[in-house]
Amino acid sequence: MSTTVAMASGASVSMEAADVTLYNPDLRLVPWLQHLGRRTHRVIQQNLWWTFGYNAIGLGLAVAGLLHPIAAVVIMTLSSILVTGNAFRLRRTASPEALP
């Protein structure tokens, strides 16, 4: 899978067509962007699997009458907190200046 990168100083058509637009003219940021993209993709997959698993199990228990509605609300809230917390891990990605 290829990614197109445009520079902010370029034509507006190229920025519209690009997957990523660099507003900083430093091309050394491209490896950092790739690293951040991989981490983001991994976190999205983790969150989707967690949500799918929770909903599959929760729905099954609710249909069978084994899950009290209040318990479902509490578990759904905890699930949302877990997914949000997992996404916030991306904020700990090293800044471009910290990479070699």
Side-chain angles (χ1 to χ4, degrees):
M1 181 166 113
S2 65
T3 303
T4 56
V5 178
M7 302 295 286
S9 59
S12 62
V13 173
S14 65
M15 291 190 303
E16 291 273 338
D19 296 317
V20 175
T21 301
L22 287 179
Y23 288 92
N24 185 333
D26 188 3
L27 288 177
R28 293 177 294 178
L29 293 174
V30 173
W32 178 77
L33 286 172
Q34 289 175 326
H35 172 72
L36 181 61
R38 278 190 228 99
R39 284 200 66 199
T40 303
H41 188 259
R42 213 170 25 246
V43 167
I44 290 170
Q45 284 182 328
Q46 290 168 358
N47 287 344
L48 286 173
W49 279 109
W50 169 254
T51 303
F52 175 76
Y54 162 78
N55 286 326
I57 292 169
L59 182 62
L61 291 174
V63 167
L66 300 173
L67 187 61
H68 192 275
I70 299 297
V73 168
V74 170
I75 293 171
M76 179 57 98
T77 303
L78 293 174
S79 172
S80 296
I81 291 170
L82 179 80
V83 166
T84 304
N86 193 30
F88 271 122
R89 289 185 316 129
L90 289 171
R91 298 186 89 191
R92 288 187 288 158
T93 302
S95 66
E97 295 83 26
L99 294 177

